[in-house]
Amino acid sequence: MDYDVTQVDKVMEDYGKNPVSIIGMLQDIQTRFRFIPREAVRRLSEVLNIPESQIYHIVTFYKAFSLVARGKHEIRVCLGTACHISGGKRIAEGFENTLNVQTGHTTKDGQFTLETVNCVGACGLAPVVMVDEEVHGMVKPSKIAEILGHYK
Ligand code: FES
C-alpha cells in the first residue's frame, strides 16, 4: 500500500522543516497513519537531510512508534497470572479465531490489532481484555463477538 507523502510534507511544514523537531514530526505521522510508513521515513530523510538509519533508530527506540500498520482499535488480551489462571489463553485464542488474525497482527480491514499483555492492573476482574482504553472484565469466550460489536 502506498501512503500519501503530501501528508508527511504537511507535518514537516508544521514544524518549519526543522530537523530538531523530528520526534514531534514522527508523533504527528504516527497519529495520522497509526504507524510510521517506510515511505514517510524516506521522505523525512530526503527533505530534512537526516539519514534513514537515524530515523529508524528513533522509531525503534520509542515504544510509542510502530513500523507496522496498526488497526483502528487495539485489543490487548491480558495473560498476566490472574488472567492466565482464569482462562486468558482461551480468550486470546477466541479473539484470534473470531477476527481471523494472529496475535501481534492487524485484521485485513484495518479495524483491529490484537496483542497480549501482562497485567493491566485489574486482576480482580480477570480475565481482562482492554479495547483501546476500555476495560472489559470477566470475559467469556461467548462474549467476544458482543465485545467486538461495540467497535464496528
Ligand atoms: S493479570 Fe490480568 S489484569 Fe492483572
Side-chain angles (χ1 to χ4, degrees):
M1 186 167 170
D2 287 328
Y3 293 89
D4 182 7
V5 287
T6 59
Q7 293 217 38
V8 178
D9 290 351
K10 168 91 184 54
V11 169
M12 286 190 279
E13 273 157 31
D14 289 346
Y15 287 88
K17 295 188 183 169
N18 187 346
V20 169
S21 304
I22 183 70
I23 291 178
M25 293 180 205
L26 287 167
Q27 280 168 336
D28 284 9
I29 291 165
Q30 170 81 37
T31 304
R32 278 172 198 242
F33 296 105
R34 296 198 299 272
F35 81 115
I36 311 286
R38 295 194 182 268
E39 291 87 340
V41 173
R42 202 170 307 134
R43 188 74 183 149
L44 289 166
S45 167
E46 270 169 23
V47 176
L48 304 176
N49 206 16
I50 304 174
E52 284 189 31
S53 60
Q54 207 172 315
I55 300 173
Y56 280 118
H57 184 75
I58 296 168
V59 171
T60 50
F61 183 79
Y62 291 99
K63 270 202 138 188
F65 299 130
S66 172
L67 283 168
V68 291
R70 310 298 293 179
K72 195 166 161 204
H73 300 288
E74 301 245 357
I75 300 170
R76 282 165 286 158
V77 180
C78 183
L79 292 182
T81 308
C83 291
H84 191 82
I85 292 168
S86 313
K89 191 95 178 60
R90 269 196 315 138
I91 303 297
E93 285 164 5
F95 274 98
E96 284 188 335
N97 294 335
T98 308
L99 292 170
N100 196 20
V101 73
Q102 297 262 298
T103 298
H105 291 84
T106 298
T107 54
K108 283 206 175 75
D109 62 4
Q111 279 295 306
F112 298 104
T113 297
L114 181 63
E115 302 277 9
T116 56
V117 287
N118 284 318
C119 195
V120 295
C123 307
L125 296 175
V128 171
V129 174
M130 298 267 308
V131 183
D132 302 329
E133 297 311 315
E134 227 170 318
V135 176
H136 297 267
M138 297 178 189
V139 176
K140 293 184 173 65
S142 59
K143 292 279 175 202
I144 290 173
E146 189 185 319
I147 292 171
L148 291 172
H150 293 301
Y151 303 94
K152 283 191 174 158

